[in-house]
Amino acid sequence: WCPSQDDLTSTLLVEEAPNFTLFIKNFIEFPVFNVKHKNMVDNFKKSCTFHPEHYKDCPIFSIDYIMNEAEKNITERNLMLQYGGVIRIKLDWDCNLDRNIKLCKPQYSFARLDVPFHEKPFSKGFNFRYASYWKHDEERFRTLTKVFGLRFIISVSGKAGKFDFIQLTLNTGSLVGLFGLATFVCDILLLRLSKKARIYRNYVFESVNLRKLIDSTMTVSKKYLSKNDDEYSNSDSNIEAELSFETPENSPASPGRTVVMGSVTFINSNQ
């Protein structure tokens, strides 16, 4: 296509662009809590313009305010109006759902994303091209237009929270478990790494002679069995007897308890 693009021609500064306004309409939803909300208040006035002190709830922003927040250098702002630029507008939601949902309002922030002009980038500003085609006397023509302008990228992020008794219970249980783990770790440190580990071990553990304990248990068992054998050896077969016997000292039954038994048959294994 001829002629080729002419990059030497300077673009014109759009002086009235800062007076334009941008209306941002944003709807959000928190599916976990089944809550929907928007950035527009009920008594919204279409004639308002956002101001950080007087009209915080108004979602209409002037281009001049956005550029002043994104770029503080006036020279850079004028070059952005001439060669274009990219500005990010971020809406950040932080909602406490234990309160009225109308009190949840977004925080607006602005930042410039394109490379500043004083750094002399390879491709400065923001621009795009579009072509229009037509025919005249069976001859085709094309007009290629290179447009400079401001591009706004809007991003939304947010979080919401609400008191939950079940979650509180789970967190409390986890905290208790953490304390139990802390006790275990402290015991390991005191028993293995402390200089006074032997003193701490004597307080925590009790030394037991296992052999003496087993011998004493066997002696008591033998006495108990031999005594019961003597009491039952005098009984005849096929009689109803009323037997009384004494329980050992450590037995849960009371001393001198009487037990009534029915017909009992004794078999002599020696026959």
Side-chain angles (χ1 to χ4, degrees):
W1 296 92
C2 296
S4 59
Q5 178 178 319
D6 183 10
D7 289 332
L8 299 178
T9 303
S10 60
T11 59
L12 299 178
L13 178 64
V14 183
E15 296 180 355
E16 296 298 327
N19 297 328
F20 295 167
T21 56
L22 178 65
F23 178 32
I24 301 177
K25 184 186 296 185
N26 179 223
F27 295 89
I28 61 171
E29 180 182 6
F30 299 105
V32 176
F33 305 105
N34 194 22
V35 173
K36 296 181 180 180
H37 194 40
K38 59 183 182 297
N39 66 330
M40 295 176 294
V41 295
D42 296 335
N43 56 350
F44 167 66
K45 297 180 180 180
K46 295 183 179 180
S47 60
C48 69
T49 304
F50 179 86
H51 191 276
E53 296 181 0
H54 303 293
Y55 298 102
K56 295 182 179 180
D57 299 331
C58 183
I60 301 177
F61 300 84
S62 65
I63 303 299
D64 183 60
Y65 175 79
I66 294 175
M67 294 187 65
N68 288 335
E69 291 294 319
E71 178 58 64
K72 302 299 182 182
N73 192 322
I74 186 172
T75 304
E76 291 287 332
R77 291 201 301 269
N78 291 333
L79 291 174
M80 290 175 67
L81 292 174
Q82 185 175 358
Y83 296 102
V86 182
I87 297 177
R88 184 207 64 188
I89 303 175
K90 184 178 181 181
L91 285 75
D92 189 14
W93 296 83
D94 189 1
C95 299
N96 182 3
L97 299 182
D98 291 323
R99 305 166 59 190
N100 192 335
I101 188 62
K102 294 182 179 180
L103 299 177
C104 179
K105 301 176 182 179
Q107 296 293 329
Y108 299 93
S109 60
F110 309 90
R112 182 181 178 184
L113 300 183
D114 62 299
V115 181
F117 296 99
H118 67 269
E119 296 183 7
K120 298 180 180 180
F122 173 77
S123 178
K124 57 185 178 180
F126 173 76
N127 59 81
F128 62 94
R129 299 170 178 83
Y130 68 93
S132 57
Y133 304 87
W134 73 92
K135 284 185 178 181
H136 180 68
D137 295 335
E138 299 300 326
E139 185 177 359
R140 294 184 177 183
F141 294 89
R142 183 191 76 158
T143 300
L144 179 64
T145 305
K146 184 177 182 180
V147 181
F148 297 87
L150 297 174
R151 181 180 183 183
F152 299 103
I153 299 177
I154 300 177
S155 63
V156 181
S157 63
K159 60 181 179 179
K162 190 175 184 179
F163 177 77
D164 188 357
F165 181 76
I166 297 178
Q167 190 66 31
L168 176 64
T169 305
L170 294 176
N171 293 338
T172 304
S174 301
L175 186 62
V176 172
L178 181 61
F179 284 157
L181 180 62
T183 304
F184 173 75
V185 173
C186 291
D187 288 340
I188 294 298
L189 294 177
L190 291 174
L191 291 173
R192 301 298 180 184
L193 303 179
S194 177
K195 295 181 179 179
K196 298 182 179 180
R198 180 173 298 179
I199 299 175
Y200 181 73
R201 189 179 293 108
N202 293 334
Y203 279 103
V204 175
F205 301 104
E206 180 182 359
S207 299
V208 178
N209 193 329
L210 187 60
R211 182 176 296 278
K212 291 183 179 180
L213 181 62
I214 294 175
D215 293 341
S216 61
T217 304
M218 294 296 294
T219 303
V220 173
S221 300
K222 289 179 180 179
K223 290 181 179 180
Y224 176 71
L225 292 175
S226 61
K227 188 173 183 179
N228 287 340
D229 290 341
D230 294 339
E231 291 182 359
Y232 288 116
S233 60
N234 297 326
S235 301
D236 296 331
S237 61
N238 297 327
I239 63 173
E240 292 185 358
E242 180 175 306
L243 301 177
S244 63
F245 59 90
E246 296 182 357
T247 59
E249 296 180 356
N250 296 330
S251 175
S254 59
R257 183 177 179 181
T258 302
V259 179
V260 179
M261 302 180 62
S263 301
V264 180
T265 303
F266 294 93
I267 300 175
N268 189 354
S269 60
N270 295 327
Q271 293 179 358

